[in-house]
């Protein structure tokens, strides 16, 4: 198969994986269909055909789901070959002189976390971080949920390669907006990526959109690469790996190639802090050996950041919805890398102190990796700026808190508007009260006008009828739609209510587990000890402590006391003997006639202690499909694994009448 054919097939596979997963999310999580079962099965079968043909199964493929797993710690392992750092230069001429007449590969130096992957028998066996170059941490479970690592490859021998795990700028900005206290933990995509790859629970990693780009083959057997590093990289590409972008260069072309990369980095979405130049000739590279620190066949080129001197005019303290207050430097505008810059995040109090910032100070600014504005140094260091004692949003008291040796400023007023907007946004969200018509922007307006102080106030917005219909984006019809949605939102379930209260670490799934354990009795749940909660399968000590701590606070008790009279909570009478499906896993597919939709059947199964998943695996007990004789992919998989396929009526008769 030619290189071009391989690329086309892998491109089609990536497209199929994306389309099928999108359809599955719509089908199982959102109760809507974006393609027919016939179309889904056709695409699924095409994906299976391509996987069999290429021998490659991509991460995220619906044909090979990876389960989530939490560990207590990441085990460490010594690398078979020490991972040396690269010598560095900022001189383009030195980069050219390095070649000495040889052909070489010039590629991005990606700014993420270096990972070593080991394959055997065509399967991913192990993934290890670079660590200190000699000893790294084993992150195999996490690597399996990266966006693009192939779980299976066509090559059946032993294979070891290196690459960079990265999170793109666009995904970083989106994820950081969604994460609690992200500004404390993660200042840039590299830090977020490092924290994501080294998670103890790979379900967290799966949500962080980590991608992997191979940059070198370490070892393999029985493959002839014609003494070329480029051929090694192309071999990895044939196996389904995304590879780092590169150009093959000589002394005559390297300077123009560097200029090409320099232009591209302005819009390049993957973090890069320079370039890497590696000689293509493998035998010659080996003959050069290494120094005590660096290999002699490669060198890193670091961008000489364009800097400008300017005057600091103020530090703006910007409050977030988590209570974190971020310092932002405002300075006289300067031109950097072709754009005008006048603001730069200072990130936290520790950096404000280390730079000794003061109004009127002369500072140097630059764009880190030619992208993100940063303060380089403070030339006058007056140190006159102190963190504000009052929150810029609510005027309440602030407090400096230390987290991982980093000092950050927080608003400690629980009623701060910035915090309340986030709380109300969660409360009205789909998995909580599911109230349409209350966007975050609308909630901000209502809170700023004093309409909302407690969750219960949401159900009395009719008091402000005249004011609301005069607001931008509202009118009589919009107002009436909101009233209808509020009335509908009064009818809810206890798990939705618990989730909507915004208790730290409590998602809807955890809320369901806790409610089920205490027979949907709210008083029992609130009176439970941390030890009782921690004993629930899937809860643990951290979640138990957060749950108990929340209900110990008087203000939270008062909030719930005001809210409960506004709600009509569906009473779920659950007897221990009714949990007839405990320990069983089901998959639902196709249309239903006894239940309104798949979510309704899913909720009934969960109410009886069972579990519903989206794909058929060896852990599935029953596939529910009214078309038991169809040739769908789920039916085929169930038959292969010897899993019963039951119609809705047969399932009802066998499992729901007990």
């Amino acid at each position: 198969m030619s290189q071009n054919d391989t690329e086309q097939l892998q491109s089609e596979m990536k497209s199929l994986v994306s389309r099928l997963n999108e359809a599955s999310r719509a089908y199982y999580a959102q109760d809507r269909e974006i393609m027919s079962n016939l179309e889904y099965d056709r695409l699924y079968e095409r994906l299976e055909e391509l996987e069999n043909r290429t021998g490659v199964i991509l991460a995220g493929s619906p044909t090979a789901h990876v389960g989530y797993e939490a560990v207590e710690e990441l085990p460490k392992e010594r690398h078979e070959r020490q991972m040396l750092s690269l010598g560095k230069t900022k001189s383009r001429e030195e980069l050219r002189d390095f070649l000495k007449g040889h052909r070489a590969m010039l590629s991005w130096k990606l700014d993420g976390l270096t990972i070593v992957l080991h394959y055997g028998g065509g399967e991913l066996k192990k993934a290890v971080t670079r660590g200190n170059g000699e000893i790294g941490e084993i992150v195999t479970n996490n690597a399996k949920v990266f966006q693009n690592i192939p779980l299976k490859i066509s090559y059946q021998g032993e294979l070891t390669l290196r690459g960079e795990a990265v999170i793109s700028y666009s995904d970083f900005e989106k994820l950081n907006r969604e994460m609690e206290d992200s500004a404390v933990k993660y200042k840039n995509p590299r830090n977020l990526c490092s924290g994501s790859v080294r998670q103890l629970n790979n379900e967290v990693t799966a949500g962080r959109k980590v991608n992997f780009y191979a940059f070198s083959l370490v070892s393999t057997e029985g493959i002839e690469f014609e003494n070329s590093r480029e051929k090694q990289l192309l071999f990895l590409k044939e196996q389904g790996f995304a590879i780092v972008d590169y150009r093959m260069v000589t002394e005559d072309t390297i300077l123009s190639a560097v200029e090409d990369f320099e232009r591209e980095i302005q819009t390049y979405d993957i973090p890069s802090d320079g370039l890497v130049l590696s000689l293509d000739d493998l035998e010659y590279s080996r003959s050069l050996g290494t120094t005590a620190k660096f290999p002699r066949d490669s060198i890193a080129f670091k961008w000489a950041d364009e800097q400008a001197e300017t005057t600091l005019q103020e530090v703006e303290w910007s409050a977030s919805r988590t209570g974190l207050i971020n310092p932002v430097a405002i300075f006289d505008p300067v031109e950097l890398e072709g754009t005008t810059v006048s603001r730069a995040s200072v990130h936290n109090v520790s950096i404000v102190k280390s730079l000794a910032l003061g109004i009127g100070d002369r500072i140097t600014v630059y764009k880190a990796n030619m992208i993100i504005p940063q303060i380089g140094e403070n030339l006058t260091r007056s140190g006159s700026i102190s963190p504000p004692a009052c929150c810029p949003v609510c005027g309440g008291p602030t407090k400096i808190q230390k987290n991982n040796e980093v000092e950050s400023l927080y608003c400690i007023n629980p009623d701060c508007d910035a915090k309340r907007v986030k709380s109300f946004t969660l409360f009205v969200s789909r998995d909580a009260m599911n109230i349409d018509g209350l966007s975050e922007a609308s909630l901000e307006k209502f809170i700023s006008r004093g309409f909302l102080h407690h969750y219960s106030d949401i159900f009395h917005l009719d008091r402000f009828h005249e004011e609301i219909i005069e607001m931008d984006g509202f009118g009589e019809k919009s107002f009436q739609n909101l009233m209808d949605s509020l009335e509908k939102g009064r009818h809810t379930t206890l798990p939705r209510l618990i989730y909507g209260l915004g208790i730290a670490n409590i998602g809807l799934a955890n809320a369901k587990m806790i409610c089920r354990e205490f027979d949907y009795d709210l008083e029992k749940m609130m009176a439970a000890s941390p030890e009782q909660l921690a004993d629930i399968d899937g809860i643990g000590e951290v979640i138990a402590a957060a749950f108990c701590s929340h209900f110990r606070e008087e203000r939270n008790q008062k909030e719930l006391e005001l809210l409960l009279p506004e709600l009509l909570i569906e009473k779920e009478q659950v007897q221990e003997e009714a949990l007839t499906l405990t320990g069983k896993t089901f998959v639902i597919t196709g249309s239903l006639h006894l239940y309104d939709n798949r979510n309704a059947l899913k909720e009934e199964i969960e109410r009886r202690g069972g579990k519903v998943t989206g794909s058929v695996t060896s852990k599935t007990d029953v596939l529910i499909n009214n078309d038991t004789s169809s040739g769908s992919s789920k039916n085929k998989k169930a038959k292969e694994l010897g899993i019963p396929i039951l119609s809705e009526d047969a399932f009802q008769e066998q499992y729901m009448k007990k």
Side-chain angles (χ1 to χ4, degrees):
M1 190 183 301
S2 70
Q3 180 73 29
N4 188 50
D5 289 340
T6 300
E7 289 181 11
Q8 288 182 350
L9 292 180
Q10 290 180 0
S11 176
E12 184 181 355
M13 288 167 63
K14 290 175 184 176
S15 175
L16 287 169
V17 168
S18 176
R19 291 177 63 190
L20 289 167
N21 284 340
E22 183 182 1
S24 291
R25 279 192 297 271
Y27 189 82
Y28 288 104
Q30 301 165 5
D31 196 29
R32 63 188 181 92
E33 292 190 22
I34 62 175
M35 68 173 63
S36 67
N37 285 341
L38 184 65
E39 176 70 1
Y40 183 94
D41 289 340
R42 184 183 69 80
L43 297 179
Y44 189 98
E45 287 165 5
R46 173 60 176 166
L47 178 59
E48 284 185 316
E49 176 191 336
L50 294 179
E51 288 177 342
N52 290 332
R53 185 172 169 185
T54 62
V56 173
I57 296 180
L58 299 173
S61 172
T63 68
H65 285 286
V66 176
Y68 296 133
E69 181 178 344
V71 296
E72 293 184 1
E73 63 178 9
L74 295 174
K76 293 179 171 58
E77 179 174 282
R78 184 174 296 276
H79 294 295
E80 293 179 10
R81 299 186 187 181
Q82 185 180 9
M83 299 179 66
L84 300 174
S85 300
L86 294 178
K88 298 176 179 63
T89 181
K90 290 190 175 182
S91 166
R92 301 178 188 216
E93 288 69 29
E94 186 177 340
L95 203 63
R96 181 182 59 191
D97 294 344
F98 177 84
L99 292 172
K100 297 178 180 177
H102 290 276
R103 184 172 181 263
M105 177 185 296
L106 184 67
S107 63
W108 291 115
K109 184 177 182 294
L110 299 182
D111 192 16
L113 190 69
T114 300
I115 304 287
V116 184
L117 300 181
H118 302 271
Y119 285 76
E123 295 185 1
L124 175 62
K125 297 297 186 183
K126 189 164 50 182
V128 186
T129 65
R130 181 186 186 278
N132 62 7
E134 294 185 3
I135 298 173
E137 292 174 308
I138 299 174
V139 291
T140 312
N141 288 331
N142 295 345
K144 287 180 178 179
V145 296
F146 287 1
Q147 297 286 294
N148 65 339
I149 278 184
L151 303 178
K152 291 188 177 182
I153 59 177
S154 60
Y155 177 69
Q156 297 297 301
E158 297 293 320
L159 171 67
T160 302
L161 67 144
R162 294 173 183 167
E164 199 80 355
V166 294
I167 292 176
S168 68
Y169 283 113
S170 53
D171 285 333
F172 165 73
E173 291 168 2
K174 182 180 179 182
L175 288 163
N176 242 2
R177 284 195 300 269
E178 297 171 352
M179 291 170 62
E180 293 288 325
D181 293 344
S182 60
V184 174
K185 299 177 184 175
Y186 307 112
K187 310 301 185 299
N188 51 53
R190 187 195 182 283
N191 286 1
L192 177 57
C193 182
S194 178
S196 301
V197 172
R198 300 175 64 253
Q199 285 287 328
L200 297 180
N201 185 340
N202 69 341
E203 186 170 6
V204 177
T205 308
R208 299 285 177 81
K209 297 187 177 179
V210 180
N211 279 276
F212 176 87
Y213 293 89
F215 58 68
S216 71
L217 180 118
V218 178
S219 65
T220 187
E221 51 192 25
I223 303 291
E224 176 55 54
F225 297 111
E226 302 173 22
N227 197 37
S228 168
R229 190 183 303 271
E230 182 185 21
K231 296 286 186 184
Q232 289 184 330
L233 208 57
L234 292 176
F235 166 74
L236 294 177
K237 188 174 183 180
E238 289 175 3
Q239 298 302 310
F241 296 96
I243 60 173
V244 65
D245 286 343
Y246 69 91
R247 312 276 194 283
M248 298 308 297
V249 297
T250 64
E251 285 180 288
D252 295 332
T253 62
I254 187 169
L255 295 184
S256 63
V258 172
E259 290 177 2
D260 289 342
F261 277 109
E262 188 173 22
R263 282 190 293 270
E264 287 180 35
I265 200 172
Q266 304 298 329
T267 55
Y268 197 52
D269 198 32
I270 301 172
S272 167
D273 56 355
L275 304 172
V276 174
L277 184 65
S278 299
L279 300 177
D280 187 52
D281 188 320
L282 296 174
E283 289 186 12
Y284 180 65
S285 293
R286 283 191 287 269
S287 72
L288 294 175
T290 67
T291 68
K293 293 183 177 180
F294 312 124
R296 290 192 172 98
D297 66 340
S298 299
I299 189 171
F301 172 77
K302 304 285 286 185
W303 302 111
D305 297 310
E306 182 181 351
Q307 295 195 34
E309 188 176 319
T310 184
T311 300
L312 181 66
Q313 295 296 341
E314 66 173 304
V315 169
E316 177 184 280
W317 296 85
S318 176
S320 74
R321 296 181 181 92
T322 63
L324 179 69
I325 303 176
N326 298 301
V328 180
I330 314 295
F331 43 81
D332 290 339
V334 291
E335 290 290 319
L336 287 176
E337 313 291 354
T339 61
T340 301
V341 178
S342 60
R343 301 167 63 90
S345 174
V346 191
H347 301 304
N348 52 57
V349 174
S350 292
I351 296 177
V352 172
K353 289 180 178 180
S354 66
L355 288 170
L357 293 177
I359 303 303
D361 281 351
R362 294 295 291 174
I363 59 174
T364 62
V365 293
Y366 67 100
K367 281 188 177 180
N369 298 342
M370 303 176 72
I371 299 289
I372 304 172
Q374 300 280 302
I375 294 178
E377 58 180 321
N378 184 0
L379 304 176
T380 46
R381 299 181 65 82
S382 68
S384 61
I385 291 177
S386 299
C390 298
C391 171
V393 174
C394 69
T398 62
K399 179 181 180 181
I400 293 177
Q401 296 181 8
K402 206 167 189 178
N403 187 334
N404 295 329
E405 301 304 312
V406 173
E407 290 184 325
S408 298
L409 186 68
Y410 284 85
C411 171
I412 59 175
N413 173 17
D415 296 317
C416 177
D417 284 352
K419 291 182 181 180
R420 289 163 64 210
V421 169
K422 179 179 176 64
S423 299
F424 276 96
T425 301
L426 174 66
F427 183 75
V428 303
S429 66
R430 175 176 175 163
D431 286 340
M433 296 299 104
N434 193 23
I435 299 173
D436 291 329
L438 278 180
S439 66
E440 189 168 302
S442 295
L443 287 167
E444 285 178 350
K445 292 175 184 177
F446 292 165
I447 289 171
S448 66
R449 294 190 181 208
F451 297 171
L452 301 174
H453 300 281
H454 305 282
Y455 293 139
S456 56
D457 293 335
I458 283 180
F459 299 100
H460 296 286
L461 284 171
D462 56 326
R463 299 169 180 168
F464 307 101
H465 171 258
E466 296 303 323
E467 293 97 322
I468 291 175
I469 62 174
E470 295 299 322
M471 292 169 58
D472 287 342
F474 276 92
E476 191 62 54
K477 185 175 180 180
S478 297
F479 178 82
Q480 190 54 53
N481 289 340
L482 175 58
M483 292 301 104
D484 293 343
S485 184
L486 288 171
E487 193 59 35
K488 184 179 178 182
R490 290 181 187 273
H491 299 262
T492 189
T493 64
L494 192 55
R496 284 177 174 272
L497 170 60
I498 297 298
Y499 171 65
L501 295 176
I503 305 171
N505 302 309
I506 302 290
L508 183 57
N510 291 331
K512 286 181 178 179
M513 292 177 189
I514 295 171
C515 289
R516 192 179 298 137
E517 179 71 17
F518 292 95
D519 300 330
Y520 295 85
D521 187 319
L522 181 58
E523 290 187 7
K524 284 184 183 178
M525 293 160 58
M526 293 175 64
S529 67
E531 291 74 22
Q532 286 176 289
L533 287 157
D535 284 341
I536 301 173
D537 185 32
I539 298 302
E541 294 180 3
V542 174
I543 295 175
F547 188 92
C548 292
S549 175
H550 179 89
F551 286 111
R552 277 199 300 266
E553 291 188 24
E554 186 177 343
R555 63 184 302 274
N556 292 331
Q557 295 173 10
K558 179 67 174 176
E559 191 76 58
L560 187 59
E561 183 182 327
L562 292 171
L563 177 60
L564 286 175
E566 305 296 337
L567 302 176
L568 296 170
I569 299 175
E570 296 175 10
K571 188 67 175 176
E572 302 204 38
Q573 299 291 343
V574 177
Q575 303 299 325
E576 188 65 31
E577 58 269 20
L579 298 177
T580 56
L581 303 182
T582 300
K584 294 191 177 297
T585 301
F586 301 86
V587 173
I588 309 168
T589 190
S591 59
L592 304 175
H593 62 270
L594 296 178
Y595 292 85
D596 292 339
N597 50 49
R598 288 180 299 279
N599 274 347
L601 177 53
K602 177 183 178 184
E603 287 181 6
E604 183 61 31
I605 290 172
E606 290 178 342
R607 191 175 293 119
R608 292 171 178 252
K611 180 180 179 182
V612 177
T613 62
S615 58
V616 178
T617 70
S618 58
K619 295 181 180 179
T620 304
D621 290 290
V622 174
L623 170 63
I624 303 169
N625 185 357
N626 279 326
D627 189 356
T628 58
S629 61
S630 80
S632 70
S633 56
K634 287 187 174 65
N635 276 24
K636 288 179 181 176
K637 190 71 172 177
K639 289 174 183 176
E640 288 175 8
L641 297 172
I643 293 167
I645 305 172
L646 299 181
S647 67
E648 193 179 357
D649 294 298
F651 167 76
Q652 194 77 9
E653 181 68 30
Q654 188 170 335
Y655 287 95
M656 305 301 276
K657 291 188 176 181
K658 294 180 179 179

